[in-house]
């Protein structure tokens, strides 16, 4: 089958504006911008997938742990069985139990001091667990805020090349300026491709982290009340 001249031109134009062709035709600066944004996008998706699994697992395990805890009749026995698990709720409980045992081991129990230490210890544990869970959220925030501007830098550089080509060729036809403009717009597109998922994921994960913090705080408050009542029973 033989293509007529308009068809051949269309195929050539399509090949020229393909993503691979735009990357290969770009100069070293725009190539660096594109590669950096592509790496940022890959890194972003790796964090999104890993963080989704981690947050879902932590939420599921904490919910199960809390349900079993409130059903337990003996806190000490439950602590010995599950208090050393590597999950946020278990660590909050372990911090409370450890402080309780230290504070009530004295001959004379300082009730007010024990309550203050229990509250402080469990609050600090919650903060540490939230910090651990949200460790890489700052990367998503950085990519989401910086990537569009990096793409914009590639856009500006590509447009500068287009104007340079016009001056060199003494010709302002579309054939002269199109490659530089296409490269510029492609750099912008890659920047948005990296930034948009990062912003969406950051907002979604921040909401999930806040919910986890609220869950742990409610659990700590309930456990604190239980220990406080037990403290009142101490003679």
């Amino acid at each position: 089958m033989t293509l007529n001249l308009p068809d051949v031109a269309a195929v050539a134009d399509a090949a020229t504006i393909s993503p691979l062709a735009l990357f290969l035709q770009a100069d070293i600066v725009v190539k660096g911008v594109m590669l950096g944004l592509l790496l940022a996008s890959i890194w972003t998706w790796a964090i999104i997938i890993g963080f989704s699994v981690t947050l879902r697992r932590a939420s599921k395990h904490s919910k199960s742990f809390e349900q079993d805890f409130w059903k337990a009749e003996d806190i000490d026995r439950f602590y010995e069985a599950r208090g050393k698990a590597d999950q946020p709720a278990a660590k909050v409980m372990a911090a409370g139990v450890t402080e309780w045992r230290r504070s009530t081991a004295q001959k004379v129990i300082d009730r007010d001091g024990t309550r203050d230490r229990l509250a402080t210890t469990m609050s600090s544990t919650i903060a540490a667990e939230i910090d651990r869970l949200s460790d890489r959220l700052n990367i998503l925030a950085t990519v989401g805020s910086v990537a569009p501007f990096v793409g914009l830098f590639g856009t500006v550089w590509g447009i500068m090349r287009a104007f340079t080509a016009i001056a060199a060729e003494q010709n302002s036809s579309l054939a002269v300026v199109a490659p530089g403009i296409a490269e510029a717009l492609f750099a912008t597109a890659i920047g948005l491709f990296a930034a948009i998922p990062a912003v969406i994921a950051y907002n979604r994960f921040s909401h999930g982290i806040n919910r986890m913090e609220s869950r742990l705080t409610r659990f700590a408050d309930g456990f604190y009340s239980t220990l406080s009542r037990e403290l009142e029973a101490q003679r």
Side-chain angles (χ1 to χ4, degrees):
M1 180 178 178
T2 304
L3 295 175
N4 55 34
L5 290 179
D7 292 334
V8 173
V11 171
D13 290 342
T16 302
I17 63 174
S18 68
L20 180 60
L22 290 176
F23 174 78
L24 294 176
Q25 292 171 5
D27 70 346
I28 188 64
V29 174
V30 180
K31 282 182 179 178
V33 169
M34 292 180 181
L35 285 175
L37 291 173
L38 285 174
L39 290 175
S41 179
I42 294 172
W43 193 12
T44 295
W45 280 105
I47 293 174
I48 290 173
I49 295 172
F51 200 91
S52 297
V53 174
T54 300
L55 189 59
R56 188 180 301 113
R57 183 186 295 120
S59 179
K60 179 181 178 181
H61 288 174
S62 292
K63 182 178 180 180
S64 175
F65 182 90
E66 292 173 32
Q67 290 175 346
D68 294 341
F69 172 81
W70 294 120
K71 294 177 183 177
E73 297 180 357
D74 190 327
I75 293 179
D76 288 328
R77 185 178 301 173
F78 184 84
Y79 171 73
E80 295 300 330
R82 298 182 58 182
K84 297 178 176 62
D86 186 18
Q87 52 184 276
K91 292 183 178 180
V92 173
M93 178 196 176
V97 170
T98 301
E99 183 56 43
W100 166 266
R101 291 178 175 178
R102 290 175 179 172
S103 296
T104 57
Q106 307 297 325
K107 292 181 179 180
V108 178
I109 300 176
D110 181 3
R111 288 179 171 82
D112 291 336
T114 298
R115 290 190 180 94
D116 291 340
R117 287 190 293 272
L118 285 171
T120 300
T121 297
M122 288 191 286
S123 295
S124 298
T125 303
I126 291 173
E129 287 302 300
I130 293 302
D131 286 343
R132 182 178 64 85
L133 286 174
S134 58
D135 181 40
R136 292 181 293 177
L137 279 184
N138 62 321
I139 298 175
L140 296 180
T142 301
V143 172
S145 60
V146 173
F149 293 100
V150 176
L152 182 61
F153 171 76
T155 300
V156 173
W157 192 271
I159 292 175
M160 289 172 57
R161 284 194 66 214
F163 282 112
T164 302
I166 292 175
E169 298 289 336
Q170 296 294 317
N171 186 353
S172 60
S173 67
L174 185 61
V176 174
V177 301
I181 294 176
E183 295 166 13
L185 296 177
F186 188 49
T188 302
I190 296 177
L192 295 176
F193 180 76
I196 291 174
V199 172
I200 294 174
Y202 176 81
N203 292 332
R204 180 61 182 170
F205 291 150
S206 295
H207 177 66
I209 288 293
N210 290 336
R211 291 184 61 185
M212 174 62 71
E213 185 176 9
S214 298
R215 174 185 291 276
L216 292 176
T217 300
R218 289 193 298 269
F219 173 70
D221 289 343
F223 188 37
Y224 173 84
S225 298
T226 300
L227 294 177
S228 181
R229 287 192 296 269
E230 182 67 23
L231 187 64
E232 289 295 330
Q234 296 286 335
R235 298 297 181 183

